[in-house]
Amino acid sequence: MQKSQPAGDIFLRLGLVSEEQLAQAEQKRQQLKATDKGPNTLGHVLVNMGFVTEKDRVRCLGEQWGVPFADLTDYQFEPDVLKLVSQEVARKLKIMPMSRKNGKLTVAMRNPLDIFAIDEIRLMTGIDVEPVVVTEEDLIHAINRAYRTESSINQVVKAVMDDIEGGDIDFTVGGEDTEDDDISIEQLRELSEEAPVIRLANLIVTRAVSDGASDIHIEPGREAVRVRFRIDGILHEALAVPKKIQASLISRVKIMADMDIADKRAPQDGRISAVIDGKQIDFRVSTLPSVHGEKIVLRILDKSSICVGLNSLGMLPHTLETFESVISRTYGIVLVAGPTGSGKSTTLYSVLSKLNSGEKNILTIEDPVEYELQGITQSQINVRAGLTFAAGLRTMLRQDPNIIMVGEIRDAETAIIAIEAALTGHLVLSTLHTNDAPGSVTRLIDMGIEPFLIASGVVGVLAQRLVRVICSKCKESYNPPVDAVKRLGIGFDQSAGVTFYRGRGCEFCKGSGYKGRVGVYELMPITDGIRDLILARQSSYAIRDQAIQEGMKTLKDDAMEKILLGATTLEESLRVIYSG
């Protein structure tokens, strides 16, 4: 391997960052190093600040180590080479066999300096190993793509059915199939602890994580149990399992979430923690009794996915600059508005990561604590113990805070305490469930908050949605329907050369034409003109008109710019903006 070069020099030489960005990142790195908060390598800091991508970071690492970089996105793996390393070994060692040439096996590795893994592969295959470096995300996706899980799931379902039909699991009473209610608790526990059932539950969970799902829906029907994954905000059917497996599968998930398997008539909540593909994943589990049995929804919380910089959220330059000036205030309330699943938590955590310099005392009160951030004191509400948002907020004010994050303002009591905290020199971050930024003001007034308190305490409101991003692998230009263009209010001349894009659908995006999501934003700083309207109890329409006159870009405007930039499609923006 060649002599190592300073990472900063490599980033500069490849033109990935400017000297000013490098200096900012180095300053941030020194702060993190001094406070021992999270990864403090220059590459990780540059990624978290949104200056470079993870692939750029790994490519530079390869240059620094003298190891070639490989992109596995479209790589076609040879079946004969895959047989040299099993899926279990590939996942354990974080490697992927790519090709065999000239007596050497080229192996993609997350860490090509792991000599123990290299030695293990060499002993296992009897072939010299030539490592290349890849991103962890590409590596996991490649393993999932190359070693398909569909056959594994089908085999496990067959094994469970064989156990049932072979008499190892008894579902009959008096020769007739029983309903779930007729199965004893001992039988349910025994069913859920059978090896095939455990493997089935584990495969469903790991496949959902590998597919990038945010939720798993296990839905009992009349004749089968449907399993669906929510990927990029849309539900996709993953598989259907026979009705006879329902009792054992649902009981297994409830046991994993530490729920009461005997209680099938009342909703329950639980939590599962697991390490999947080297990542710490938490699952929030909820059950709901239905006509055909208990429906279970698992919310997937990937702690690594929340650590993104503000630059990576998809804000347009003007919006980002204004938002950074709003959150740099030393006091006041900053609200993030939007429906459930619009990315509010990601935005708030990104703000906290930016503000977490080690010089400030940052406290949060959440329901629940979805992601843990180093260097920040986080509390979870517990209504039974008397720890509500309002009670927690009161206590926080006695803890000498600089910045307070309240998971959600749900009632007048919490809102008043938050505003009082803002007026006494604290920066308060919180969320509201409203459709747009001006609507947040009227929502607070509807709660019973006096307009003069809102005008004095709130410094800015950010409304947001999430739209799917066009798949980069099958992106193509097209001419959209004229009526759809008019509906979104896009005025353009066909002869002006405006190009619209969409995804054709490919293996990488599973035929959807989309891969990933990006935010659409509406930022309303509270100016003197808007304060006057708030004090006069004007409607949200009047506040919106004033904000637009002062330069606010609406959600529709932001979506339109992202369409013209080729980030998303017209149809996707119509779906989210008009139905969100």
Side-chain angles (χ1 to χ4, degrees):
M1 295 185 185
Q2 65 188 37
K3 186 178 178 181
S4 176
Q5 304 174 58
D9 292 348
I10 299 174
F11 283 112
L12 282 173
R13 177 166 54 81
L14 295 180
L16 298 172
V17 296
S18 65
E19 291 189 3
E20 181 184 356
Q21 290 173 326
L22 192 63
Q24 291 177 20
E26 181 59 34
Q27 183 181 8
K28 181 72 172 179
R29 188 183 74 85
Q30 293 297 338
Q31 291 174 349
L32 291 172
K33 188 176 180 181
T35 55
D36 192 27
K37 292 177 180 176
N40 54 30
T41 65
L42 182 61
H44 282 108
V45 173
L46 285 167
V47 171
N48 289 338
M49 295 181 75
F51 293 151
V52 300
T53 65
E54 179 65 12
K55 283 191 177 181
D56 290 335
R57 183 188 74 82
V58 175
R59 184 181 291 110
C60 289
L61 265 184
E63 289 239 356
Q64 193 175 27
W65 292 336
V67 178
F69 171 80
D71 189 340
L72 301 180
T73 304
D74 291 321
Y75 191 84
Q76 299 300 317
F77 294 94
E78 303 169 20
D80 291 340
V81 175
L82 287 176
K83 291 177 182 177
L84 295 172
V85 179
S86 68
Q87 178 180 177
E88 290 73 20
V89 172
R91 290 189 184 278
K92 184 184 78 169
L93 300 180
K94 294 283 195 301
I95 61 97
M96 194 69 194
M98 295 179 66
S99 62
R100 181 180 182 179
K101 293 179 182 176
N102 303 322
K104 289 188 176 181
L105 180 65
T106 300
V107 176
M109 304 182 68
R110 184 191 66 170
N111 179 13
L113 304 184
D114 187 349
I115 58 174
F116 298 105
I118 292 173
D119 286 344
E120 189 168 340
I121 300 165
R122 185 184 294 116
L123 289 171
M124 185 188 310
T125 62
I127 309 170
D128 282 339
V129 173
E130 192 171 82
V132 297
V133 65
V134 296
T135 66
E136 184 172 4
E137 182 182 1
D138 271 5
L139 182 64
I140 292 171
H141 182 77
I143 292 173
N144 294 330
R145 179 162 53 92
Y147 302 101
R148 288 293 183 185
T149 59
E150 282 83 353
S151 59
S152 301
I153 289 180
N154 290 336
Q155 289 170 6
V156 173
V157 170
K158 184 177 183 302
V160 179
M161 292 302 295
D162 287 345
D163 283 348
I164 294 171
E165 292 166 1
D168 294 335
I169 302 176
D170 186 10
F171 274 89
T172 60
V173 176
E176 297 183 358
D177 287 349
T178 66
E179 297 293 329
D180 285 356
D181 292 341
D182 297 326
I183 304 173
S184 69
I185 303 307
E186 291 73 19
Q187 282 180 300
L188 280 174
R189 191 171 296 279
E190 183 180 341
L191 294 176
S192 63
E193 292 175 356
E194 291 290 328
V197 174
I198 293 174
R199 288 203 304 273
L200 177 60
N202 291 345
L203 277 170
I204 289 172
V205 166
T206 54
R207 180 176 164 186
V209 171
S210 67
D211 284 354
S214 61
D215 302 87
I216 303 170
H217 291 243
I218 301 175
E219 305 168 324
R222 182 182 297 276
E223 298 176 354
V225 179
R226 180 171 63 167
V227 179
R228 295 194 291 172
F229 300 157
R230 187 177 294 280
I231 302 172
D232 294 335
I234 304 295
L235 280 170
H236 301 268
E237 186 152 348
L239 70 151
V241 297
K243 185 71 173 176
K244 285 188 175 182
I245 299 178
Q246 175 178 319
S248 55
L249 177 60
I250 289 176
S251 296
R252 176 60 194 166
V253 175
K254 290 177 71 174
I255 286 174
M256 291 166 66
D258 198 23
M259 293 178 175
D260 183 2
I261 62 172
D263 188 354
K264 292 175 283 186
R265 302 185 186 279
Q268 295 186 57
D269 292 301
R271 200 175 187 109
I272 302 172
S273 291
V275 177
I276 299 174
D277 291 329
K279 294 181 180 180
Q280 180 67 44
I281 308 289
D282 285 348
F283 301 86
R284 275 166 47 194
V285 187
S286 171
T287 68
L288 177 69
S290 70
V291 174
H292 301 294
E294 291 176 284
K295 173 176 177 175
I296 295 186
V297 175
L298 295 88
R299 179 79 184 272
I300 301 173
L301 305 172
D302 181 357
K303 294 184 178 181
S304 63
S305 68
I306 202 73
C307 298
V308 296
L310 282 176
N311 305 64
S312 304
L313 295 178
M315 291 185 189
L316 295 170
H318 171 71
T319 305
L320 178 61
E321 182 182 353
T322 308
F323 189 57
E324 286 184 334
S325 69
V326 169
I327 64 173
S328 64
R329 301 279 294 269
T330 55
Y331 64 91
I333 296 181
V334 179
L335 295 172
V336 180
T340 301
S342 59
K344 299 188 298 295
S345 295
T346 301
T347 298
L348 283 181
Y349 280 117
S350 298
V351 171
L352 290 178
S353 295
K354 182 177 179 62
L355 299 177
N356 186 21
S357 62
E359 301 168 351
K360 298 173 181 175
N361 180 22
I362 303 177
L363 307 176
T364 76
I365 178 77
E366 306 169 56
D367 180 28
V369 175
E370 294 187 3
Y371 305 93
E372 296 176 12
L373 297 176
Q374 290 188 347
I376 294 177
T377 302
Q378 296 172 267
S379 303
Q380 180 167 312
I381 72 165
N382 186 338
V383 177
R384 289 183 179 178
L387 182 57
T388 61
F389 278 123
L393 193 48
R394 280 198 193 91
T395 304
M396 283 179 177
L397 293 175
R398 297 192 289 270
Q399 293 282 314
D400 186 31
N402 297 106
I403 299 169
I404 297 172
M405 194 266 270
V406 182
E408 183 185 346
I409 292 179
R410 296 177 179 173
D411 51 48
E413 184 182 12
T414 306
I416 290 173
I417 299 170
I419 290 174
E420 289 174 350
L423 295 175
T424 53
H426 305 90
L427 180 65
V428 181
L429 309 172
S430 191
T431 67
L432 269 180
H433 284 273
T434 59
N435 289 325
D436 56 16
S440 298
V441 173
T442 53
R443 171 76 179 119
L444 290 173
I445 292 175
D446 288 343
M447 283 183 181
I449 310 303
E450 291 294 333
F452 76 89
L453 288 176
I454 300 171
S456 304
V458 181
V459 295
V461 183
L462 179 76
Q464 66 179 75
R465 299 288 192 279
L466 290 176
V467 295
R468 290 179 292 172
V469 176
I470 300 171
C471 175
S472 60
K473 305 302 175 185
C474 59
K475 190 175 183 178
E476 63 179 11
S477 60
Y478 81 113
N479 294 319
V482 176
D483 59 336
V485 176
K486 289 180 179 178
R487 186 179 173 195
L488 198 59
I490 301 177
F492 73 97
D493 184 359
Q494 289 280 5
S495 62
V498 177
T499 306
F500 291 88
Y501 295 93
R502 65 182 175 189
R504 187 174 57 256
C506 64
E507 182 186 0
F508 182 64
C509 62
K510 296 185 175 2
S512 68
Y514 300 95
K515 190 68 176 177
R517 288 190 290 178
V518 69
V520 174
Y521 300 96
E522 177 179 279
L523 176 60
M524 186 181 75
I526 305 300
T527 62
D528 289 341
I530 293 175
R531 286 192 184 94
D532 289 341
L533 294 177
I534 295 173
L535 291 170
R537 292 180 179 267
Q538 292 293 316
S539 68
S540 61
Y541 299 106
I543 294 172
R544 167 176 288 276
D545 290 341
Q546 178 68 28
I548 292 173
Q549 288 178 23
E550 295 179 2
M552 181 184 82
K553 287 188 177 295
T554 65
L555 288 168
K556 188 174 73 173
D557 295 334
D558 197 79
M560 180 178 70
E561 290 205 35
K562 287 182 169 66
I563 291 168
L564 298 178
L565 288 170
T568 190
T569 64
L570 189 68
E571 293 79 9
E572 176 67 4
S573 296
L574 287 171
R575 180 186 71 83
V576 173
I577 302 302
Y578 284 94
S579 66

